[in-house]
Amino acid sequence: MAYAYLFKYIIIGDTGVGKSCLLLQFTDKRFQPVHDLTIGVEFGARMITIDGKQIKLQIWDTAGQESFRSITRSYYRGAAGALLVYDITRRDTFNHLTTWLEDARQHSNSNMVIMLIGNKSDLESRREVKKEEGEAFAREHGLIFMETSAKTASNVEEAFINTAKEIYEKIQEGVFDINNEANGIKIGPQHPTTNSTLSGSQGGQHAGGGCC
Amino acid sequence: WYTRLLHKQRTQEENLMSGTLESLSGLGEDGSSVGSDSEVNGMSVRRIDKYGFLGGNQYSETGEKEVRVEVARQREVKWLDMFCNWDKWIKHRFQKVKLRCRKGIPSSLRAKAWQLLSNSQELLDANPGKFEELEREPGEAKWLDIIEKDLHRQFPFHEMFAARGGHGQQDLFRILKAYTIYRPDEGYCQAQAPVAAVLLMHMPAEQAFWCLVQICEKYLPGYYSAGLEAIQLDGEIFFSLLRRTCPMAYRHLKKFKIDPILYMTEWFMCIFSRTLPWASVLRVWDMFFCEGVKIVFRVGLVLLKQILGSVDKLRELQGMYETMERLRNISPDAIREEILVQEIIILPVTESLIERECNVQVRKWRESRGELTHQPARRLHGTRAIFDYKRRAASISSGGSFSFLGSSIPAPGPLRASSKTLTQKIELKVCRNSSGAIEYVNMKSNYST
């Protein structure tokens, strides 16, 4: 399907916080507690609409283990948005946020929009990190914040879409240079171009990448 | 003896099966996993395929070409014959062994063959009781926590690993934990788990453990160490090999700045166990155990060639995003067992080419990033290299001198072998490692031009 813009996202955070489940809930609208562990990077994509425009989100889901940190860094390049995820039932995943944030800031472009996510909000009885703590951390570091549940789908749509809205606003304000793919934004193929070397003028669906 | 062996194998398989089916009923203690009897881990269950998969990407539909019974029986007899005189076969008729691995090891004898090819069998025999000893140790909490979180995330659609807390997951925990105690300096890397799981699908925990040890230390040293330096170096080697073997794919990836680390990490670290259809995985592993990392490079190169090797294929991949999506979702046509294996065999990428490229990349690495923390030259290229290495080490430990590439090397070790004709300088030392297992350690090995 043709899109007006493509945004690249990256999902980061400790192992087992629910990064892959968030991605699957967003792209496939289902919760699958049992899935293969992410090694290296996984991909997902979905089309959303903002301001009447079709936007394709391409989402890179990364491995969380510490030892993969050195290669996760190479995934940051060219990301327009990042979801930094912790698990509200595990304090240590919250404590590691600073390191993650340092990494993200250091290896990405400075305009990257970062959304902080406290996941597993359905497990209220096992909560170890108060919502206020998440909010405070986000305020302190200039992030957007939400608590989500990949299991019940609560706030999952919002988390991905609000991040996109923020990126979209930045584009409108001229903060992002959309002609530089290194910013994680790509203009869709249906924009009029003079490129006639690509065949199939009817529809021109080349770069849509399928039915995502 | 032959009948007895097959019978034993079959009994093991039956035990395995019943254990699984019982434990499947215990699925989903949190009520989330199982909807009904016909559903496992959120997937509706089809007939279990011949490899034990209940569903998922790697489920094999029936209708695959089967090896004829007479051919299969003939191959079994040949392999059993090799088992009886294993060292002689490796020493004198290695090409034949290699050929037979390329044809595919009979599934009834695969476990035994992998253990002989990797020499893990000998390690097991040399260290009786060691595994139990490791099991008795408590282990470090920081590793155990991660391992526990990963147990249900390895081949969740395989009958052996589908059940939470089932025997497959228990064994997986045992060997991964044991490894962190065996090699406390390395600990646990998440990519080890699928490798261990594949081994467990074929052999009991103790045997799988020693086989894992050989993979981590001889076949792919440094792959699972902190910092993942070895895999990044191999990524660079891989990319420059691609330039030789498929310039079109190379140019495409270069044009869109798609670094090897983006797509080959999982391929290499998991030895393609999560990428290929299962029949192909087994064929690749058969060759890998015999010929070493060369096979891993070749599989990756063949895949890129198939996916990015023609103008037609590249036309619809005009960008990093499109290309990455394609690389993550390889079409089954590109990876059919027979075609894939054939392509792997004919690809002209040799050990010496890999070593040469390795030297180049090591030099570049040192210039741009400084010293390496691992020793790339410790890697042994498969069965023959492990065998030669073992003999050299044994010769040193017995106190006698031995001949290496025509030059006599004095004993005892640690010692240094050096000669004008040698392309390799090696320091060998026979020792016990930190956890007390007998180990032959290649202390230092530099390549000179």
Side-chain angles (χ1 to χ4, degrees):
Chain A
M1 219 169 120
Y3 51 81
Y5 294 106
L6 184 148
F7 295 167
K8 173 182 164 181
Y9 278 17
I10 176 171
I11 312 183
I12 50 174
D14 277 7
T15 182
V17 296
K19 297 183 290 297
S20 301
C21 287
L22 280 167
L23 174 62
L24 196 70
Q25 182 59 261
F26 179 66
T27 56
D28 290 27
K29 296 194 193 314
R30 64 194 168 96
F31 176 63
Q32 192 168 315
V34 181
H35 55 88
D36 273 320
L37 169 75
T38 308
I39 289 166
V41 64
E42 294 289 341
F43 292 85
R46 207 187 106 182
M47 206 68 97
I48 57 167
T49 310
I50 291 175
D51 196 18
K53 294 211 165 58
Q54 290 282 76
I55 292 173
K56 181 173 176 173
L57 301 183
Q58 187 185 56
I59 304 144
W60 297 37
D61 171 27
T62 64
Q65 195 189 8
E66 172 93 34
S67 55
F68 283 88
R69 202 66 73 85
S70 60
I71 61 170
T72 306
R73 288 178 189 134
S74 55
Y75 305 144
Y76 286 107
R77 199 186 64 200
L83 305 188
L84 171 54
V85 188
Y86 67 93
D87 174 354
I88 65 152
T89 70
R90 277 163 56 210
R91 164 75 51 187
D92 55 327
T93 66
F94 181 76
N95 294 341
H96 295 154
L97 288 176
T98 326
T99 338
W100 280 111
L101 201 57
E102 274 168 19
D103 249 24
R105 291 252 155 90
Q106 194 182 337
H107 299 280
S108 65
N109 76 72
S110 53
N111 292 316
M112 183 170 80
V113 173
I114 303 174
M115 160 78 79
L116 178 67
I117 291 179
N119 191 36
K120 307 196 186 179
S121 63
D122 55 291
L123 300 175
E124 193 54 54
S125 61
R126 282 159 52 189
R127 180 188 282 278
E128 283 183 10
V129 183
K130 286 198 212 93
K131 190 175 179 184
E132 293 73 28
E133 293 176 88
E135 284 167 344
F137 186 93
R139 220 172 17 250
E140 189 185 331
H141 295 91
L143 318 173
I144 340 171
F145 173 71
M146 271 189 153
E147 281 197 350
T148 61
S149 163
K151 187 172 180 178
T152 66
S154 156
N155 272 345
V156 174
E157 289 274 315
E158 290 81 353
F160 282 88
I161 290 172
N162 290 357
T163 309
K165 280 183 182 157
E166 190 99 353
I167 297 168
Y168 186 76
E169 276 167 28
K170 284 194 173 187
I171 294 174
Q172 304 300 98
E173 291 162 13
V175 177
F176 272 121
D177 173 11
I178 51 173
N179 294 312
N180 181 358
E181 242 187 77
N183 282 327
I185 296 161
K186 189 177 164 182
I187 306 173
Q190 99 282 24
H191 281 250
T193 57
T194 52
N195 191 348
S196 57
T197 53
L198 291 179
S199 59
S201 53
Q202 292 188 340
Q205 309 272 307
H206 293 289
C211 55
C212 304
Chain B
W1 178 67
Y2 169 71
T3 329
R4 214 167 57 225
L5 197 129
L6 284 185
H7 176 73
K8 197 176 153 201
Q9 180 89 19
R10 221 158 276 148
T11 320
Q12 273 177 2
E13 277 166 16
E14 277 158 21
N15 288 343
L16 231 144
M17 192 78 127
S18 62
T20 308
L21 295 180
E22 276 163 33
S23 42
L24 274 181
S25 57
L27 245 176
E29 73 255 284
D30 56 355
S32 61
S33 303
V34 178
S36 72
D37 288 346
S38 61
E39 219 176 70
V40 173
N41 294 342
M43 292 282 292
S44 61
V45 172
R46 288 172 282 187
R47 211 167 64 90
I48 295 175
D49 76 4
K50 66 175 178 177
Y51 306 111
F53 283 92
L54 309 148
N57 290 339
Q58 285 174 307
Y59 183 85
S60 306
E61 300 293 342
T62 49
E64 281 175 57
K65 196 182 105 226
E66 296 269 354
V67 177
R68 286 207 328 276
V69 178
E70 312 88 81
V71 177
R73 177 57 60 92
Q74 222 170 31
R75 285 188 183 168
E76 282 175 342
V77 172
K78 286 179 182 170
W79 273 93
L80 287 166
D81 178 50
M82 291 200 295
F83 288 171
C84 293
N85 294 292
W86 186 253
D87 280 7
K88 282 187 183 149
W89 274 89
I90 299 305
K91 199 173 164 193
H92 303 295
R93 303 192 64 191
F94 180 67
Q95 289 306 317
K96 192 80 190 169
V97 178
K98 187 166 97 179
L99 196 71
R100 287 178 179 169
C101 288
R102 288 180 170 190
K103 283 183 175 171
I105 300 169
S107 55
S108 56
L109 304 173
R110 186 165 267 130
K112 174 92 175 164
W114 285 1
Q115 292 177 71
L116 286 170
L117 288 164
S118 66
N119 201 42
S120 71
Q121 174 80 57
E122 204 168 285
L123 213 52
L124 169 74
D125 296 340
N127 295 285
K130 180 72 190 172
F131 181 66
E132 284 119 70
E133 187 189 306
L134 294 169
E135 280 206 281
R136 281 193 298 271
E137 302 262 340
E140 261 191 84
K142 70 166 178 176
W143 300 127
L144 303 189
D145 281 354
I146 308 178
I147 294 171
E148 269 171 25
K149 279 193 197 76
D150 288 351
L151 295 176
H152 67 290
R153 302 196 280 177
Q154 315 302 330
F155 301 106
F157 302 114
H158 190 276
E159 56 169 356
M160 210 176 145
F161 299 101
R164 273 234 194 208
H167 71 92
Q169 294 190 10
Q170 284 175 30
D171 282 351
L172 196 55
F173 180 77
R174 291 169 64 202
I175 65 175
L176 294 173
K177 180 196 132 187
Y179 191 82
T180 65
I181 300 158
Y182 183 72
R183 279 273 176 261
D185 49 325
E186 301 239 317
Y188 165 66
C189 169
Q190 290 188 312
Q192 283 173 312
V195 173
V198 176
L199 295 171
L200 279 173
M201 289 177 198
H202 293 89
M203 56 189 88
E206 185 177 17
Q207 297 171 12
F209 170 74
W210 290 108
C211 214
L212 179 70
V213 167
Q214 288 299 78
I215 291 176
C216 300
E217 300 191 344
K218 298 291 188 292
Y219 287 82
L220 308 171
Y223 264 33
Y224 310 106
S225 314
L228 303 187
E229 194 184 79
I231 193 77
Q232 295 181 65
L233 183 68
D234 272 1
E236 299 303 324
I237 297 169
F238 181 65
F239 200 46
S240 68
L241 291 172
L242 182 67
R243 187 181 189 167
R244 291 165 177 270
T245 50
C246 187
M248 186 176 282
Y250 173 84
R251 279 195 303 270
H252 180 82
L253 293 170
K254 185 127 186 140
K255 178 178 165 191
F256 294 111
K257 298 194 183 79
I258 305 173
D259 295 339
I261 206 71
L262 295 183
Y263 52 86
M264 54 75 76
T265 310
E266 182 188 343
W267 290 358
F268 277 49
M269 292 185 95
C270 306
I271 320 168
F272 293 97
S273 61
R274 310 200 318 171
T275 309
L276 302 174
W278 206 252
S280 301
V281 170
L282 296 176
R283 296 290 298 276
V284 165
W285 280 52
D286 288 347
M287 294 188 282
F288 167 73
F289 274 116
C290 183
E291 301 177 57
V293 77
K294 174 178 78 187
I295 296 298
V296 180
F297 279 100
R298 287 191 185 187
V299 178
L301 293 167
V302 168
L303 289 185
L304 289 182
K305 215 169 157 179
Q306 308 244 23
I307 302 166
L308 309 173
S310 77
V311 181
D312 267 3
K313 287 168 184 163
L314 295 184
R315 191 169 292 135
E316 50 189 29
L317 301 177
Q318 288 305 312
M320 177 192 227
Y321 307 107
E322 293 79 6
T323 308
M324 284 305 296
E325 276 174 359
R326 184 63 57 86
L327 289 174
R328 295 299 313 181
N329 301 294
I330 302 169
S331 115
D333 289 334
I335 41 185
R336 273 190 221 298
E337 181 189 349
E338 283 310 323
I339 304 167
L340 182 74
V341 171
Q342 201 45 43
E343 291 282 323
I344 294 166
I345 291 171
I346 60 173
L347 198 74
V349 170
T350 60
E351 287 163 22
S352 56
L353 182 64
I354 292 172
E355 286 305 332
R356 211 159 56 226
E357 207 44 67
C358 180
N359 289 338
V360 174
Q361 296 305 330
V362 166
R363 211 160 40 233
K364 284 189 182 169
W365 183 292
R366 289 202 176 114
E367 282 162 14
S368 61
R369 310 204 212 182
E371 272 312 301
L372 285 140
T373 56
H374 83 291
Q375 301 168 8
R378 274 187 61 178
R379 175 151 69 193
L380 296 177
H381 287 272
T383 305
R384 186 59 201 248
I386 294 172
F387 182 81
D388 289 345
Y389 177 71
K390 181 180 84 180
R391 283 178 55 224
R392 285 202 302 274
S395 166
I396 297 171
S397 70
S398 68
S401 63
F402 71 102
S403 175
F404 176 53
L405 287 182
S407 67
S408 180
I409 298 163
L415 43 81
R416 190 183 196 93
S418 162
S419 153
K420 280 176 195 162
T421 57
L422 286 182
T423 53
Q424 212 179 2
K425 284 186 265 172
I426 299 176
E427 272 186 28
L428 287 169
K429 187 181 170 191
V430 181
C431 65
R432 285 180 177 272
N433 67 22
S434 54
S435 43
I438 292 170
E439 250 300 295
Y440 301 115
V441 183
N442 182 348
M443 294 306 286
K444 194 189 263 173
S445 167
N446 300 309
Y447 287 86
S448 53
T449 43

